[in-house]
Amino acid sequence: MAVIDSLPPLRDVIATHGLSAKKALGQNFLLDLNLTAKIARQAGDLTGMDVLEVGPGPGGLTRGLLAEGARKVLAVEKDPRCLPALAEIAEAYPGRLEVVGGDALEVNALERLTPPIAICANLPYNVGTELLVRWLTPAEWPPVWTSLTLMFQKEVAQRIVAKPGDKAYGRLAVFAQWRCDAHIAMHLPPEAFSPPPKVSSAVVHLRALPAPRFEADAKVLERVVAAGFNQRRKMLRASLKGLSPDIEDHLNAVGIPPTERAERVSVEAFCALARRLA
């Protein structure tokens, strides 16, 4: 077990504070500080960076981020049972950890941080995808954050990096690859967690591009992609017909066959269609 600070091992912290993982909160705790420090390093050089962490739990990744030199970590935790353990970390790293008790879907945490900002989290499974979409689709780009280093179920990670024609290709791939460079940085087996989930996990690193790869209005692109992939077995002329009575003409104009299905359409083509429909 790695020794990265003067605090007790995570198993002792969990036992002291009675922190059994709650399935209803999507909790699976990483106990190996070697591993949490390695995840923190996937975010790059954190010196001089503020870091947002969602769902810190007993604080394993939090400790890794602080030990790796983060200027400040803002940790948003919904489970009040975890707050005393996080307070102990804050005491060990004076002035560098701020803990906010609440739901990350309701707390505008980024407003509390000073750029440059990185987001690094072992996201609770039940809110991870929604948070990712929010971070990828602000109206203005570049965003306030420079990178996302996020742990997901392996199948979600594969959806983020999938290419057109892949079974996993969908809206997450379109949003991620429109505005970011994305790759899978690490794979983690179920036994790395307590309790072990039924699926493997992976860490995805996304670096924000200075400008989107292709011009498009975020809200229009969201509507196009949502409509296309909500009925992914249908031809686009059927799945997108609610967006415009002339959808076939728009599809033809940007070089997408109306009989094509969403999973074979490139990010560039989706953006071209969004511009037509804006």
Side-chain angles (χ1 to χ4, degrees):
M1 185 69 69
V3 177
I4 62 173
D5 53 33
S6 60
L7 293 163
L10 283 173
R11 289 189 185 278
D12 293 352
V13 173
I14 288 172
T16 299
H17 295 282
L19 298 179
S20 57
K22 284 189 175 182
K23 185 176 181 180
L25 294 176
Q27 290 176 329
N28 295 95
F29 298 148
L30 279 169
L31 302 185
D32 186 344
L33 291 173
N34 282 303
L35 202 51
T36 59
K38 185 177 180 181
I39 293 168
R41 287 193 292 272
Q42 303 308 309
D45 185 1
L46 296 177
T47 306
M49 300 279 288
D50 279 8
V51 181
L52 170 61
E53 182 187 6
V54 173
L61 179 56
T62 314
R63 290 164 65 176
L65 293 167
L66 291 164
E68 289 298 315
R71 176 176 61 196
K72 173 185 175 179
V73 175
L74 177 65
V76 181
E77 178 53 63
K78 186 176 182 179
D79 186 353
R81 301 177 306 150
C82 296
L83 300 183
L86 295 169
E88 293 173 0
I89 302 173
E91 186 175 345
Y93 291 91
R96 294 177 58 202
L97 174 61
E98 179 183 352
V99 180
V100 176
D103 188 334
L105 295 174
E106 299 173 0
V107 175
N108 194 345
L110 291 171
E111 289 186 345
R112 298 170 180 251
L113 298 175
T114 303
I117 298 168
I119 299 176
C120 187
N122 171 15
L123 289 175
Y125 284 159
N126 53 358
V127 298
T129 299
E130 184 172 350
L131 284 171
L132 175 62
V133 171
R134 289 188 184 188
W135 290 328
L136 290 174
T137 57
E140 300 296 327
W141 197 269
V144 295
W145 52 266
T146 61
S147 70
L148 307 173
T149 306
L150 306 172
M151 187 183 305
F152 296 99
Q153 295 181 28
K154 182 180 177 180
E155 65 175 28
V156 177
Q158 290 171 333
R159 284 161 52 195
I160 294 168
V161 301
K163 302 301 181 185
D166 293 349
K167 184 178 180 181
Y169 184 70
R171 70 174 190 140
L172 290 184
V174 174
F175 294 152
Q177 296 168 43
W178 173 42
R179 288 173 153 177
C180 298
D181 284 330
H183 71 277
I184 293 178
M186 286 177 61
H187 292 275
L188 295 96
E191 55 267 25
F193 299 86
S194 178
K198 295 180 180 179
V199 296
S200 296
S201 301
V203 175
V204 182
H205 182 75
L206 301 100
R207 180 180 62 83
L209 296 172
R213 285 192 163 86
F214 313 105
E215 183 183 345
D217 179 272
K219 290 189 179 299
V220 177
L221 183 62
E222 281 188 77
R223 290 198 297 270
V224 171
V225 171
F229 286 104
N230 281 348
Q231 303 181 73
R232 57 190 303 146
R233 292 187 178 182
K234 288 190 175 183
M235 298 176 186
L236 285 173
R237 67 185 180 194
S239 60
L240 301 181
K241 65 183 180 181
L243 300 180
S244 170
D246 303 316
I247 193 61
E248 287 200 40
D249 292 339
H250 292 303
L251 288 165
N252 284 320
V254 298
I256 303 174
T259 56
E260 190 61 276
R261 290 177 171 81
E263 62 264 26
R264 298 185 61 84
V265 177
S266 69
V267 176
E268 182 177 8
F270 271 122
C271 290
L273 183 58
R275 291 195 299 272
R276 291 270 311 182
L277 295 173

